[in-house]
Amino acid sequence: MIKIGLVEDNAQLGQDIRDKLALGGEVTIVWEERDGSSALKAMQLEALPDVVLMDISMPGMDGIEATRLAKEKYPSLKILMLTVMDDEKKLFEALKAGASGYLLKEIRPHLLKNAIDEVLEGSLPLSPSLASMALNYLKGKPKAQESLSPEMGKLSKREQEVLQWLKKGMSVRQIGEQLFISDKTVRKHLEHIYEKLQVHSGKEAIAKGFER
């Protein structure tokens, strides 16, 4: 079972998220808190969950500040932001704070479960409208000089292609669609990539495979 920590100040919205996760299966909520401060206490007093679903707008400490503090203390913790609005400023503040993804609360149950799986695999899921914002933002920025790391020589041509698509923010499913291979095959390639590069996540693989 995937252990989830839920941070949501609205009890009804919290129940809605619980209901969605119940439909996805293989997920259990180990604790639920109403603000960032209490969430940090839960992380300290109880076993860390596999993924934290973090609301952004909350009284007291908001989700972005809670994410920043949590990532300082628990760098490997996966935090998936949930919000009711596609706010470009909040998106980049959350990612800068260390969020592992950013979704709208209206997301369908099976897509929420998929996003949780993707976060655990090292991908960075974004709601479609938010992904478009991110792409437009990046298009407006000058590209940094980038070259392949010598470590890339350890990977097969197909593994390099998978890593290239992963670097562009593609999920496992999207990579499979681009390369016309199954999700299972993509995951197997990622396993080989992590093993060859001696890393444990997609972010680490990208950092080791490319040099700026």
Side-chain angles (χ1 to χ4, degrees), residues 84-98:
V84 294
M85 293 182 292
D86 50 356
D87 186 318
E88 181 178 355
K89 181 181 178 182
K90 294 293 185 183
L91 165 63
F92 291 107
E93 286 180 358
L95 295 179
K96 186 176 179 180

Side-chain angles (χ1 to χ4, degrees), residues 56 63-72 79 81 88-102 124 126 137 203:
I56 290 184
I64 292 175
E65 178 65 7
T67 295
R68 185 183 67 78
L69 294 175
K71 292 293 288 186
E72 285 180 0
I79 302 178
M81 312 302 289
E88 181 178 355
K89 181 181 178 182
K90 294 293 185 183
L91 165 63
F92 291 107
E93 286 180 358
L95 295 179
K96 186 176 179 180
S100 300
Y102 195 108
L124 194 153
L126 300 174
Y137 175 85
K203 290 180 180 178

Side-chain angles (χ1 to χ4, degrees), residues 78 117-124 166 194 201-203 206:
K78 306 291 186 181
D117 290 338
E118 289 169 10
V119 163
L120 291 173
E121 291 164 356
S123 297
L124 194 153
L166 187 66
Y194 297 169
S201 71
K203 290 180 180 178
I206 291 168

Side-chain angles (χ1 to χ4, degrees), residues 35-42 60-61 66:
D35 61 67
S37 296
S38 59
L40 291 174
K41 290 179 182 177
M61 184 185 295

Side-chain angles (χ1 to χ4, degrees), residues 30-134:
V30 293
W31 49 257
E32 180 175 351
E33 300 296 338
R34 296 287 177 240
D35 61 67
S37 296
S38 59
L40 291 174
K41 290 179 182 177
M43 294 175 201
Q44 187 174 12
L45 297 175
E46 304 182 42
L48 283 179
D50 299 307
V51 178
V52 173
L53 300 181
M54 181 78 75
D55 187 18
I56 290 184
S57 299
M58 295 182 289
M61 184 185 295
D62 66 14
I64 292 175
E65 178 65 7
T67 295
R68 185 183 67 78
L69 294 175
K71 292 293 288 186
E72 285 180 0
K73 191 165 187 179
Y74 313 106
S76 63
L77 181 64
K78 306 291 186 181
I79 302 178
L80 187 54
M81 312 302 289
L82 293 177
T83 181
V84 294
M85 293 182 292
D86 50 356
D87 186 318
E88 181 178 355
K89 181 181 178 182
K90 294 293 185 183
L91 165 63
F92 291 107
E93 286 180 358
L95 295 179
K96 186 176 179 180
S100 300
Y102 195 108
L103 303 173
L104 297 180
K105 291 179 183 177
E106 64 189 26
I107 189 171
R108 294 178 181 177
H110 72 284
L111 294 179
L112 177 57
K113 176 57 168 56
N114 288 346
I116 291 171
D117 290 338
E118 289 169 10
V119 163
L120 291 173
E121 291 164 356
S123 297
L124 194 153
L126 300 174
S127 290
S129 60
L130 296 167
S132 177
M133 285 182 181

